[in-house]
Amino acid sequence: MSARKPAGQPASGAATELDITEQVAVYQREFPTVDPQVETIVSSLSRVARRMSVAYGRQLTVLGITSAEWEVLKALVVSGSPYRLGPGELAKRLGLTPAAMTHRIDRMVAEDLVTRERDEANRVRVIIELTGNGRDKWLESMRMAAVFEEELLQDVAPEERAVLSELLVRMLRRIEDGTP
């Protein structure tokens, strides 16, 4: 008598995720009123987000920075030239406590990603500024991400990308407005 391989399991016995169709079929079996189209969409979005997060994490590891450090670099770049913010403003933008922000900045100063200087106009105020090395790391991460993202979307035609973009932005707005 031969053992039957469960759906979603490779012959070696190592566990893998069910494919989306199989997963939705299980959901329907266990919860018959589930909308299979909705479950297919949200399950696919969830998997895409997880896999993107893993890919970006690998890219940042190659660059020698963490995702937490990348978030600081991004906040400084988004602030515009000369890429400077106070630690309180950085903490607020990133949703961190001042203590957590200080710890993160300490590491980043040691890694030459940012500088921490007293504001010449207000000696009580501290300014965090992006270094050339920090900007180079951010730019390289963006280059790497652009290659990955183009590969990710290679099967989506330009006109489909426009529609997908609009749909995802609408979904995001609803979530960010607090009413999913």
Side-chain angles (χ1 to χ4, degrees), residues 67-113:
S67 59
E69 291 168 335
W70 188 87
E71 289 295 332
V72 173
L73 299 177
K74 178 182 79 170
L76 290 167
V77 168
V78 167
S79 74
S81 186
Y83 314 115
R84 305 172 73 190
L85 290 170
E89 179 62 24
L90 270 171
K92 184 175 160 185
R93 289 180 184 209
L94 299 176
L96 298 172
T97 64
M101 191 74 250
T102 298
H103 181 68
R104 193 171 294 179
I105 291 168
D106 288 345
R107 284 193 326 260
M108 294 180 74
V109 166
E111 295 169 7
D112 188 39
L113 299 171

